[in-house]
Amino acid sequence: MNELRKNIAYYHLPGLFEFYEFYCIFLPLFREHREYFYDWCEIGSIYGAPADCIWGGGRVGGGDCDPDKVLGLMQEYGISARLTFSNSLLREEHLSDKKCNLLCALLEESGEKRNGVIVHSDLLLDYLKINYPKLYFVSSTTKVLTEFRQFVDEVNRDEFLYIVPDFRLNKIWEQLRVLSAKQKDKVEFLCNECCWFCCKDRKQCYEAVSRRNLGENDCEHRCAAPDAGEGYRFSKAMENPGFISVNDIQNSYLPMGFSNFKIEGRGLGSALLLEFLLYYMTKPEYQLHVREKIYLDNMLDLF
């Protein structure tokens, strides 16, 4: 990866495969009308996984777009692509999966921009390091590292270029402030999580998704959080104690030396993705311009 430019927020965006059609419209807009967007932010990567990837985790992948087309789009705009292969329950026999290996091989040989894989399993990490050494690796938030010492130990692992801590560590300012510059460059904060801040079942929830991706029959995880039946609401995420606002990024994280911010949303639909990009990247006076250009494009179904 290139050296990070200081005082720039690098957003890592969802839906590499799931929102391919959306990015076919948004990325030209972002390039051709850069004046619409904050000059202090860039796109660091776009992450995701196609449907039926047994290495997948976090969410069940839903994209069925041709991987060659997806990677071609990322190459055209000089954006790093990441595979979300954060299944926490992989076994030795799963490592030979043909589809997942072909995707890694494609990303490894794809263009000048280095691509990566988001991983949970150390078994998978060791396999990828040997077989696809040109890829970089991101430690997944599905590890649910809620203790600061655990998080620092993960940051100090040389295998990982980035570490996404649990969102409940987002605002522990005094501890975050004492990290070295090298450590801060590796931290990638999850900005817009809607999960209940007091949830004690987050790891079990991710394990349930991992089992589904493996095709293993198991009882569906039942979320015990208040208002769980409402699903994701950006307005509710904004009330979460771990929510990272635009003002937080500008006035706290960037001055403190942090540069990487992850936006979740792979399973939420392109209409919500647009709202995230309007909020985090678009100047208020141009948000209507961006919304109109996206909505009025007849090639895109936002709902």
Side-chain angles (χ1 to χ4, degrees):
M1 299 290 284
N2 294 329
E3 287 290 323
L4 295 176
R5 291 160 51 199
K6 298 304 180 184
N7 299 316
I8 296 291
Y10 292 88
Y11 287 121
H12 303 274
L13 304 179
L16 178 64
F17 297 90
E18 298 90 336
F19 300 136
Y20 168 76
E21 290 83 4
F22 177 93
Y23 286 119
C24 282
I25 298 168
F26 178 78
L27 293 179
L29 183 64
F30 184 68
R31 174 181 287 179
E32 294 165 14
H33 291 280
R34 198 60 181 83
E35 74 276 9
Y36 291 175
F37 303 94
Y38 296 122
D39 57 7
W40 49 263
C41 73
E42 296 286 352
I43 299 174
S45 74
I46 300 178
Y47 66 91
D52 302 320
C53 283
I54 65 170
W55 294 356
R59 299 289 183 271
V60 176
D64 57 2
C65 187
D66 180 353
D68 288 303
K69 291 172 62 177
V70 170
L71 269 295
L73 182 67
M74 296 301 103
Q75 289 176 17
E76 181 181 353
Y77 289 94
I79 295 173
S80 176
R82 293 180 179 178
L83 295 168
T84 306
F85 282 167
S86 54
N87 194 307
S88 61
L89 302 177
L90 295 176
R91 301 183 295 274
E92 192 77 34
E93 62 263 31
H94 297 134
L95 299 180
S96 61
D97 182 79
K98 183 177 180 180
K99 182 172 185 176
C100 295
N101 276 282
L102 285 174
L103 285 167
C104 288
L106 178 63
L107 260 70
E108 188 179 45
E109 300 301 331
S110 183
E112 296 181 3
K113 181 64 71 169
R114 192 178 176 197
N115 299 314
V117 182
I118 304 169
V119 294
H120 179 127
S121 165
D122 279 346
L123 176 69
L124 179 61
L125 175 64
D126 291 340
Y127 175 81
L128 295 173
K129 284 163 55 182
I130 293 170
N131 290 280
Y132 305 103
K134 295 179 185 178
L135 298 173
Y136 68 86
F137 304 108
V138 181
S139 176
S140 173
T141 191
T142 62
K143 294 181 181 181
V144 193
L145 303 179
T146 57
E147 298 296 328
F148 184 70
R149 187 67 254 170
Q150 293 177 308
F151 160 63
V152 172
D153 289 343
E154 194 77 0
V155 169
N156 290 336
R157 292 180 64 176
D158 292 335
E159 304 99 317
F160 294 118
L161 192 62
Y162 299 105
I163 290 85
V164 186
D166 189 87
F167 71 104
R168 285 162 288 198
L169 298 184
N170 284 355
K171 300 291 182 73
I172 53 169
W173 302 116
E174 293 307 312
Q175 292 103 311
L176 293 173
R177 187 172 285 109
V178 301
L179 294 177
S180 69
K182 181 179 178 181
Q183 289 172 320
K184 290 176 180 179
D185 283 346
K186 295 180 69 173
V187 181
E188 185 178 311
F189 293 100
L190 180 57
C191 293
N192 60 328
E193 179 57 65
C194 193
C195 182
W196 185 32
F197 196 80
C198 298
C199 178
K200 299 184 184 300
D201 300 327
R202 193 165 169 83
K203 184 168 288 189
Q204 292 91 319
C205 178
Y206 285 133
E207 287 177 352
V209 174
S210 292
R211 281 190 288 271
R212 287 175 60 193
N213 282 330
L214 290 173
E216 298 177 355
N217 294 326
D218 206 290
C219 295
E220 187 75 18
H221 176 76
R222 301 295 179 185
C223 182
D227 304 322
E230 293 183 358
Y232 188 95
R233 297 287 186 274
F234 193 25
S235 57
K236 187 167 70 172
M238 288 180 169
E239 298 171 358
N240 193 304
F243 178 73
I244 296 178
S245 69
V246 170
N247 285 337
D248 289 331
I249 292 171
Q250 286 185 286
N251 298 323
S252 297
Y253 290 96
L254 289 178
M256 204 182 296
F258 295 102
S259 300
N260 290 287
F261 304 91
K262 180 175 182 177
I263 309 298
E264 74 165 41
R266 282 194 293 150
L268 299 179
S270 50
L272 254 180
L273 173 61
L274 174 59
E275 292 305 314
F276 299 151
L277 300 183
L278 291 172
Y279 175 78
Y280 281 108
M281 300 179 66
T282 312
K283 297 174 183 176
E285 63 269 29
Y286 290 113
Q287 289 181 2
L288 182 58
H289 292 68
V290 174
R291 187 180 283 110
E292 286 179 336
K293 288 180 182 295
I294 298 291
Y295 277 174
L296 295 177
D297 193 301
N298 293 326
M299 298 299 293
L300 185 64
D301 181 8
L302 281 171
F303 299 97

